[in-house]
Each structure stands twice: as structure tokens, then as C-alpha cells.
Amino acid sequence: MSSNEDISIGVTHSSEEIANAEAYLNVSLPEEYKAFLKKIGYLCLGSLEYYGLTRSSDFSTAGIPNFVWFTAKKRDEINLPKSL
């Protein structure tokens, strides 16, 4: 991870890791987002967070900034549609 006071950049991810995330959520991610995950991972700019993946392959306990964990949690908490 790279960071300074206001910027935090995550680790990059393989096509396999991204495919595992898609399978877990049963969605197809946009190509642009896959490119973001492959090149950046996740990004925090001050109080703005662009969720990506963490190194945890256990999506049920990964926590933030893992978008898979966050999406699954919101599906349970607020009935977020499975298509999102």
C-alpha cells in the first residue's frame, strides 16, 4: 500500500481474484472497474473512498475497503438487489 496524509492506494489484483469476487456476488463487473482493480486495487483521497479488493479471499470477513464484503453486507442489511 502506498500512502501519504491524504492519499491511500491499495494493492493490485489478478484476473482470478476479480473472477472470484464476481462469482461470490454472482455479478459481472464492468471492464472499467476490473481495470481499476488490476491497476490500483482501492483508493482513498481524504474522506473519499473508492472501494476495491483486499488481499483476503474470505469475502464474508474481509471488511472495508473490500467492495465484495460491503456489497454482501448491504444486501443483508437493506435488501440491496442481487443485481447490484
Side-chain angles (χ1 to χ4, degrees), residues 23-63:
Y24 186 86
L25 292 175
N26 195 30
V27 297
S28 294
L29 298 172
E31 291 302 318
E32 295 86 357
Y33 190 62
K34 291 180 194 181
F36 166 77
L37 295 172
K38 288 178 182 177
K39 291 182 180 183
I40 297 174
Y42 69 84
L43 178 64
C44 297
L45 300 167
S47 63
L48 300 174
E49 295 184 77
Y50 299 91
Y51 291 171
L53 288 171
T54 54
R55 283 288 177 211
S56 176
S57 60
D58 181 0
F59 296 124
S60 64
T61 62

